[in-house]
Structures are given as structure tokens and as C-alpha cells.
Amino acid sequence: MGRNRLASQFAWVSAGRLAGALIQAVTLLLLARDLGPDGFGTFSAAFGTAIVFQASLDLGIATLVVKERSANTCSPLIYSALCLTDRLGMALLVLAALPLLALAVLLDPFFYLLLPLAVWAAAERQADVWLSVPLADGDAKFNTQNLLIRRAATALLYIIGVSAGFDAALSFSTSMALTSLISYVVVRLFVTARIETSLPRTPIKTIIGKSWPYWLNSLGVQARNLDSLIVSMVAGAGQAGFYAATSRATGPLRILSTSMAAVLLPASSAKGPRELQRLLRLVGIFAVCSSALYGGLIVIVPAAVDLFLGEIYRGAIFPLQIVLAGLVFAGVASLFTSMLQGVGLQLFVAKTAVATTIICLLFVFLGGLAAGAVGAALALTVSFVVQVIILATRLISYTREAAAPRRSAQFTRM
């Protein structure tokens, strides 16, 4: 991938994801104000668990499709993998709905209001997997348009629902479900017209054999979304609300790193050490710029919390500042992850993701137990630092290993 095309891809993907995440963050902040810390803490625990369910049935197909499509646009594996995703979507719908229904019957009728999240979890996951085809083709514009329309429609429907007198949780979950379902239908029609659908089907065993390292990494990363549930269990719904407000408010700030990571995966595939060193310099520039950005935001956090969430959420100020400091490491970890996957070290990445997530959730449990939202935020940041150290060490050693044969060949020719 050329430098200009790489920059164009990153610009489109990052701009779209950033705008979409900002819209979603504003919607979630409105929901936080409408529900209060206790209600928002309970909602966030369910919402985060639904994201983990998404990752549990993802099987790594989205990342596999991007890499396969980048290498061979006519690969029969692509359509077969997408069809497998449709089957998994139905299983995800049931997997997400049954716990919510059980909690509503046995614990709190509030969970009835969150049942549409099961539809959202299934439809959004399927749409995102199908969108990996135009992303691999370099058509970031379509992905951007789809995301922005989906997020804007969700925000609009939520505001309309609340204004009409419907419960805030029901309005949000229903809006998410409707927009994701429509998005999936549109994306499926668009992508089907661009891929070969008449080729022999690839066996499911073959697909899973190639995708499972990506799935393990995705599951390891997304399992971090159980953090709000853990904080709720050990520190109460109020502290979970402060912590959840922190994680949801900082979500848009991770878009730049995840966008660049999506572009770096195909860009780093089958590259030599010199090209990888160039990409490493880009990561260094990103780290410096993001440090300046997050450092400035840390200063304005108290005023921002009072303005957007109100006095009731002042307990979220210090946790938010801690997480902002850790986002530099979270961003760099995302970039290193894509680069290592691109050069074929996806199994190492997956093992690292699982290990650091276990560390994260254990630290969140202990931190939440000892110091509520503040302890949990500190635990999250420490886990990002550990992940960066592990990934950076392996990437540097790989670059040196790849450069060694070339140096030997040069000396031989002399």
C-alpha cells in the first residue's frame, strides 16, 4: 500500500470513526444524565457484557476477511466466511437475549428495557464483518458513511423517544437495534454485489483454522468490557456508574488509534524490516501527538464533567484523568497489535491479549474493591502499560530477526 493511499485510508477511517464515536459518546452522556450513576452503572454492565458476547461469537472472521481480501480478491474463503457470520448472528441474538430475560424475571424488570440490545449485538457484529470487504478494497468512504448515518440515526431516535416520554434505557436500546439492523441489510446488499458468490464453499473447519488466532485476540481485548460489571459487583452500582461514565466518555479518543490500526494491518502484511521501521516511526509520532492531546484534556476534565454530566458525577473526575493518561499506551498497543498480525504473529498477539486482559480484570477487581472507580481506572491503565511492553519487545525482536538475513546476504555479495 503506497504512502498516499495509506494516508487517505487513515484519514477516511479515522475521520468517520471519530465523528461516529463522538456522536455515540454524546448519546451515552445524555443517557448517563437521564439514568443517573446507579442506573447507568447497571446499564453499562449489561452493555459491556453484550460486547463480550459479540466477541465470543466473532471467531476472528472480520480480521481474516480483511487479510484474505487484501491478498486475493477472488478467494472463495471470503464469501464462505461471511455466510458463516450470518449463522453466528442468530446464535448471538439468543445468547444475548436469554441472560437479559432471566435477569428481568429473577432480579429487576429494568432488564426488560434492555432486551433490544440483543438485536443490536447481532446486527452490528454482522454489519461490521461484512464491512471488512470494502475496507480491504480501500473503499473507506462507504464504511465512513455507513457508520455516521448509523450513529446519527441512533442519536436522533433516542432524543425523539425520550422527548415522547419513553424510558431512556428503552429508547436507547431500541434505537441501537433498529439502526444496526437497517445497516446490516444495506451493507449486505452492497458487499454481495462486489464479491464472488458462485465459488465453491470453503469448509467451516478451514475458516476457523485460519481465523481462530484473530478470534482469540478479539475475545481477549473485548473481555475488558466486563470491567463495569466487576466494579458493580465489588463497589456498587454508583461507583460502576462513575467508572462507566469514564470509559464511555473516553471511547471516541481511542478512534484515531483503532483507525490507524485497521489501516496498518494490510499495510504491514509481507513487509520487509525497512518498511516496518518506517511504520514504527509513524507509531512514535502518534504516541507523541496523542500524549500532547490527552495531557491537555486531563487539565479540562473537571470543567467538562460539570458541564456535560453535572455535579452528581464529580466522583468520575479523577478516574477519568487516570484513564486519559493510560490511553496513550492503549493506542500504541492497538498499533503494535495490527503490525504483529500483519507479519504473521497473530497467535502471539492473541496470547498477549488474553494474558493482559486477565491481568486487567484481576487488577480491576482488586482496585475496585480497594478504591472503587479510582482503583479500577488505575488498574485499567496499568494493564495497557504491560501490554505495550510485551508487544513492543516482540516487534523489535522480529524486526531485528528479519533484518539479519538481509545483512548476511549483503556481506556475502561483497
Side-chain angles (χ1 to χ4, degrees):
M1 183 180 291
R3 183 175 298 183
N4 291 336
R5 189 181 178 191
L6 180 65
S8 176
Q9 278 275 77
F10 172 66
W12 270 107
V13 173
S14 60
R17 289 186 176 183
L18 180 59
L22 285 172
I23 294 171
Q24 186 179 54
V26 170
T27 311
L28 284 168
L29 289 176
L30 291 174
L31 178 65
R33 294 193 69 162
D34 291 337
L35 292 179
D38 288 353
F40 190 63
T42 302
F43 165 84
S44 296
F47 190 67
T49 304
I51 295 175
V52 176
F53 284 156
Q54 283 183 323
S56 67
L57 289 179
D58 171 75
L59 298 186
I61 292 176
T63 307
L64 174 64
V65 168
V66 171
K67 192 165 186 180
E68 190 75 16
R69 181 77 172 180
S70 300
N72 179 14
T73 57
C74 296
S75 171
L77 182 144
I78 296 171
Y79 185 61
S80 300
L82 294 175
C83 290
L84 175 59
T85 296
D86 289 341
R87 299 181 196 175
L88 294 172
M90 296 303 297
L92 176 57
L93 175 63
V94 175
L95 181 64
L98 288 179
L100 288 172
L101 187 60
L103 288 170
V105 173
L106 301 175
L107 187 62
D108 190 340
F110 174 78
F111 289 99
Y112 280 123
L113 305 176
L114 305 183
L115 274 173
L117 286 178
V119 177
W120 159 76
E124 181 168 85
R125 173 55 57 187
Q126 288 173 266
D128 287 343
V129 173
W130 281 77
L131 279 169
S132 59
V133 172
L135 178 62
D137 290 345
D139 187 4
K141 185 176 180 180
F142 178 76
N143 291 52
T144 298
Q145 292 171 337
N146 179 274
L147 178 65
L148 287 178
I149 293 173
R150 188 196 315 172
R151 293 286 189 257
T154 299
L156 180 61
L157 288 174
Y158 171 74
I159 293 172
I160 292 174
V162 172
S163 300
F166 291 99
D167 183 90
L170 178 62
S171 297
F172 181 82
S173 57
T174 302
S175 301
M176 293 278 284
L178 286 174
T179 54
S180 297
L181 191 59
I182 295 172
S183 172
Y184 164 65
V185 172
V186 172
V187 169
R188 199 182 193 284
L189 292 173
F190 177 83
V191 173
T192 301
R194 301 178 60 159
I195 60 177
E196 292 287 345
T197 59
S198 59
L199 297 174
R201 294 294 181 89
T202 302
I204 294 177
K205 183 178 180 180
T206 302
I207 297 173
I208 296 176
K210 292 186 175 183
S211 69
W212 75 268
Y214 303 117
W215 167 76
L216 190 60
N217 175 67
S218 176
L219 183 59
V221 172
Q222 296 301 333
R224 292 174 183 263
N225 285 285
L226 293 174
D227 53 1
S228 293
L229 176 63
I230 292 174
V231 176
S232 178
M233 292 170 58
V234 301
Q239 287 295 312
F242 294 147
Y243 179 77
T246 295
S247 60
R248 301 308 171 196
T250 55
L253 299 176
R254 298 195 62 183
I255 295 302
L256 291 177
S257 61
T258 56
S259 300
M260 182 178 281
V263 175
L264 283 183
L265 175 58
S268 58
S269 298
K271 296 296 184 183
R274 182 174 299 177
E275 290 80 3
L276 289 177
Q277 288 171 359
R278 180 176 64 86
L279 295 178
L280 279 173
R281 285 195 291 271
L282 289 177
V283 174
I285 294 172
F286 170 85
V288 172
C289 294
S290 60
S291 296
L293 172 63
Y294 300 147
L297 291 175
I298 288 174
V299 176
I300 66 172
V301 160
V305 169
D306 286 340
L307 177 62
F308 293 107
L309 291 175
E311 185 73 21
I312 194 174
Y313 275 95
R314 289 196 63 82
I317 292 177
F318 192 33
L320 180 54
Q321 291 173 319
I322 294 173
V323 171
L324 281 171
L327 287 185
V328 177
F329 301 96
V332 173
S334 295
L335 303 186
F336 284 164
T337 292
S338 282
M339 292 177 66
L340 288 167
Q341 287 177 332
V343 299
L345 295 175
Q346 54 266 27
L347 184 57
F348 174 81
V349 169
K351 291 178 179 179
T352 301
V354 172
T356 53
T357 294
I358 293 174
I359 292 172
C360 173
L361 296 180
L362 176 61
F363 283 5
V364 165
F365 174 83
L366 297 175
L369 192 62
V374 173
L378 184 60
L380 182 65
T381 297
V382 170
S383 72
F384 288 140
V385 175
V386 172
Q387 187 176 16
V388 165
I389 293 173
I390 296 173
L391 295 175
T393 302
R394 185 64 185 96
L395 186 58
I396 292 172
S397 66
Y398 173 85
T399 304
R400 291 174 177 172
E401 292 166 4
R406 293 194 175 192
R407 286 195 295 266
S408 299
Q410 290 174 353
F411 288 133
T412 302
R413 289 194 297 267
M414 292 177 63

